[in-house]
Amino acid sequence: MPTATNQISPAELACAVEAFLATHPSSSVLEEGRVLFDMQTARYSVSAAHGRCVIQFWSEERNIVRTVTGISTRKEMLRLETRRFGQTRPQMLELVSTSDRRTPTVRETTRKRYVHLLERVLVLSFPDAKIGEMRTAMDLEHSFGPAYARATLLLGQKAWAIIAVNGEEPESTIDGILTVGILWLDYCRRHSGSRRIFQGLKVIVPPGAEPATRARMAWMNPALATWELYTLQEHSEELQSVPLEEGNLETRLVQAFDPVRVKERMRGAIDSVLALLPSSMRQRTEVCAISTSEISFRLHGLEFARARRTLAAGSFHHQDAISFGAGRNETPLTPESEVLFGELMQRLCEGRSANGSVLHPLYRLQPERWLESELRKSIGEVEPSLREEVVYSQVPAFSAGDRGMIDLLGITRSGRLAVLEVKADEDLHLPLQALDYWIRVRSVHADGELRRHGYFPQLEIADRPPLLILVAPALRIHPANETVLRSLKPEVEWTLAALDEHWRQRLKVIFRRKSHPQPFPDC
């Protein structure tokens, strides 16, 4: 059911809009079903002054300014009741988060057509086998959604689980197929009794969409199942086998730098920003160097301002340019915008506090970044063997044209690398997302790239695969996560650390699950 919030204050309206747009940077703004702005390219500002919440959207094509008078929320959507200046009749703007903007009817038709095609292809490709029932129905109890076609391939007492996805689905859905496939194989085995032995899993994806799944499947445990990957060209109905090789993702790192020197060099900009903050916020603000010429200001992981060192116009002298807000809401900090900055900081200070209201949008915004900021301060609580003095946060890794960010990269006292993936909310795909980063770190370490790019200077890095550490609040760990983790090869040594729900007040691990560590020969 929609949640109406029409009786909230202008400041709360502004917070709700900011939180939605910050959480969904690829959202769209619709009016009467027509897309006015794509927030990947458009910009916005929102303020709550003089008893009104005013929002502005602009792009190269258009510019609108509206007063927001009410909000109603639905899943992945925010509906704004707005008024134009000088008009009393309300108008509705819809902020839609999903990148899949097909109508439900179009999605259903596409999926039904794909199921019929898949049945024909499987019959032709595996003539000696019988195709079991094809399923696409939603099954929330077992984490199966309608985007994936699930089937079985029967050969006497032997059988295979089959999972497939069509090329019209969003990229994130296609990349999530292996997680669902592992759960489908587990389901088939548990419900087959002693009648059939399921040998393994066949995964079918569109051509060109296989790199991520291929890299992941190379690290599935062959002792547990046989893993096979295929591509299906829908136009020609051609099914092609994809070889699985334990190769490395195409990965490159950015050069590491000394954050202390960056802060010293930009001390003037740092002092200018801190001086404008409320005193109660100043002590809680993190000042993070994110490059050799850029400083990020964060409150419990939420970035609210940046300082960049640039060349002054018409000269070779450097100057520090300060902006506030984030993403498409970024605004230069000038004497004219200081009032707006102060207003935003006051809302931020009140809403983003460890003892604040859990209903406040700024309290709920970007929980992973909040949790990550707490881990940086107390990483030894999660894994006592980790060095606390050297932890890299949001390490950029580029792979196959896609930019990824490793949440935290640490090292143990014995010199073993550790990849930490952080989630504050339940996520079915957490294990394989973490595996992506583990593969990348393993690759750059094996190639000597970490040392060449200046990571962990003066420390000896052990010649061993990294540890994989997944961190999440205990009640937010998806029940299926362990099933997926236990499908990984023994070389992927993992720990699942479950935190107390009150981690914002105090970071405390209440239980750990671990893989069975593999003996490592002395060299």
Side-chain angles (χ1 to χ4, degrees):
M1 292 292 291
T3 302
T5 56
N6 293 60
Q7 302 303 315
I8 62 178
S9 69
E12 291 172 317
L13 290 171
C15 284
V17 173
E18 288 173 333
F20 184 91
L21 291 171
T23 305
H24 306 288
S26 300
S27 59
S28 296
V29 181
L30 283 68
E31 185 174 48
E32 296 179 350
R34 182 170 62 99
V35 177
L36 297 183
F37 299 96
D38 181 343
M39 296 312 298
Q40 294 181 91
T41 55
R43 300 178 69 86
Y44 77 95
S45 68
V46 60
S47 65
H50 311 296
R52 296 187 307 171
C53 174
V54 177
I55 190 166
Q56 179 180 13
F57 295 102
W58 70 94
S59 66
E60 294 182 356
E61 291 80 23
R62 58 179 61 87
N63 174 50
I64 66 170
V65 180
R66 303 280 175 85
T67 298
V68 181
T69 56
I71 287 180
S72 63
T73 60
R74 298 184 182 183
K75 184 180 180 182
E76 305 296 310
M77 178 191 293
L78 197 66
R79 300 192 72 204
L80 308 181
E81 180 185 273
T82 68
R83 286 183 172 83
R84 297 174 185 265
F85 291 126
Q87 296 187 5
T88 58
R89 185 172 63 88
Q91 295 174 305
M92 299 302 298
L93 290 179
E94 294 181 339
L95 307 185
V96 182
S97 67
T98 178
S99 59
D100 184 3
R101 300 191 178 104
R102 297 175 295 169
T103 65
T105 302
V106 170
R107 278 199 300 271
E108 185 177 354
T109 301
T110 301
R111 290 167 180 172
K112 284 183 177 179
R113 185 171 61 243
Y114 180 76
V115 165
H116 294 316
L117 180 150
L118 181 62
E119 286 179 318
R120 291 197 305 271
V121 170
L122 291 177
V123 168
L124 292 172
S125 301
F126 304 101
D128 297 332
K130 177 183 177 182
I131 310 302
E133 180 185 359
M134 189 77 67
R135 306 182 190 183
T136 57
M138 178 80 75
D139 184 348
L140 295 179
E141 180 183 355
H142 299 100
S143 303
F144 301 139
Y148 304 103
R150 312 182 301 277
T152 54
L153 199 65
L154 310 177
L155 301 95
Q157 288 189 317
K158 296 180 180 179
W160 288 80
I162 295 178
I163 190 87
V165 65
N166 72 76
E168 296 298 316
E169 301 296 339
E171 182 181 358
S172 59
T173 299
I174 296 173
D175 286 348
I177 190 171
L178 182 55
T179 295
V180 181
I182 292 169
L183 301 180
W184 174 235
L185 174 60
D186 180 68
Y187 176 92
C188 291
R189 283 175 165 172
R190 286 188 290 105
H191 288 78
S192 67
S194 57
R195 291 170 297 157
R196 288 191 175 90
I197 298 173
F198 276 82
Q199 295 177 287
L201 175 70
K202 297 180 187 291
V203 177
I204 303 173
V205 297
E210 73 274 10
T213 302
R214 179 182 183 178
R216 293 170 174 180
M217 288 185 74
W219 289 98
M220 296 296 106
N221 191 343
L224 298 179
T226 301
W227 310 90
E228 294 184 359
L229 177 63
Y230 298 83
T231 59
L232 173 56
Q233 175 57 257
E234 295 180 38
H235 295 298
S236 63
E237 300 190 3
E238 183 179 5
L239 190 67
Q240 289 276 357
S241 176
V242 179
L244 299 181
E245 301 172 356
E246 198 173 282
N248 294 327
L249 290 169
E250 182 185 344
T251 305
R252 62 187 177 91
L253 294 176
V254 297
Q255 188 71 27
F257 57 90
D258 185 350
V260 175
R261 289 188 178 181
V262 177
K263 292 178 185 179
E264 290 174 351
R265 192 161 56 245
M266 301 182 69
R267 176 52 55 188
I270 293 172
D271 291 342
S272 297
V273 172
L274 294 180
L276 294 173
L277 300 179
S279 57
S280 59
M281 181 177 170
R282 203 171 297 140
Q283 299 296 324
R284 296 184 285 145
T285 294
E286 301 172 272
V287 180
C288 305
I290 56 177
S291 75
T292 57
S293 59
E294 206 163 5
I295 293 288
S296 172
F297 299 86
R298 303 170 185 172
L299 182 62
H300 299 307
L302 178 63
E303 181 177 276
F304 61 83
R306 279 198 182 200
R308 299 177 177 88
R309 173 142 290 204
T310 61
L311 287 174
S315 76
F316 294 102
H317 297 292
H318 287 90
Q319 64 179 10
D320 292 332
I322 303 172
S323 59
F324 62 95
R328 298 298 170 183
N329 193 28
E330 192 170 354
T331 304
L333 181 59
T334 64
E336 293 76 20
S337 64
E338 280 188 10
V339 173
L340 182 61
F341 177 74
E343 175 193 318
L344 174 62
M345 293 306 102
Q346 192 60 47
R347 293 206 306 269
L348 187 61
C349 185
E350 293 171 357
R352 199 167 180 83
S353 167
N355 297 314
S357 170
V358 297
L359 300 178
H360 199 288
L362 290 174
Y363 182 94
R364 303 195 308 269
L365 186 60
Q366 294 187 9
E368 277 85 15
R369 299 287 76 83
W370 191 332
L371 178 52
E372 181 190 305
S373 71
E374 297 300 318
L375 287 171
R376 284 198 301 270
K377 294 182 288 187
S378 307
I379 199 166
E381 174 65 28
V382 172
E383 177 51 61
S385 66
L386 289 174
R387 288 179 176 268
E388 297 193 357
E389 71 275 16
V390 53
V391 181
Y392 295 95
S393 174
Q394 292 292 288
V395 179
F398 299 78
S399 172
D402 176 44
R403 176 168 182 152
M405 287 283 189
I406 302 167
D407 285 347
L408 294 170
L409 179 61
I411 191 169
T412 67
R413 293 182 182 85
S414 63
R416 191 171 184 185
L417 295 171
V419 177
L420 287 87
E421 178 71 359
V422 179
K423 288 292 181 184
D425 292 314
E426 189 175 277
D427 190 340
L428 175 67
H429 302 286
L430 169 61
L432 295 190
Q433 289 172 356
L435 177 66
D436 288 344
Y437 297 125
W438 183 91
I439 295 171
R440 296 178 186 190
V441 172
R442 175 185 176 274
S443 170
V444 295
H445 174 39
D447 294 341
E449 290 294 307
L450 281 174
R451 180 66 69 206
R452 283 194 289 273
H453 284 77
Y455 289 83
F456 304 105
Q458 284 80 53
L459 292 178
E460 188 68 29
I461 304 178
D463 187 20
R464 299 186 63 181
L467 295 170
L468 180 60
I469 303 174
L470 300 86
V471 185
L475 298 181
R476 302 294 190 273
I477 295 175
H478 196 286
N481 285 165
E482 283 196 60
T483 301
V484 178
L485 284 169
R486 297 191 187 283
S487 299
L488 302 179
K489 283 183 176 180
E491 293 92 326
V492 186
E493 192 174 331
W494 54 266
T495 297
L496 180 60
L499 304 177
D500 182 270
E501 287 298 306
H502 303 291
W503 55 264
R504 287 179 175 86
Q505 288 81 33
R506 180 193 173 196
L507 202 66
K508 181 181 179 182
V509 175
I510 58 176
F511 71 82
R512 291 182 180 87
R513 300 280 189 269
K514 288 180 176 285
S515 61
H516 298 295
Q518 297 300 299
F520 191 79
D522 294 330
C523 299

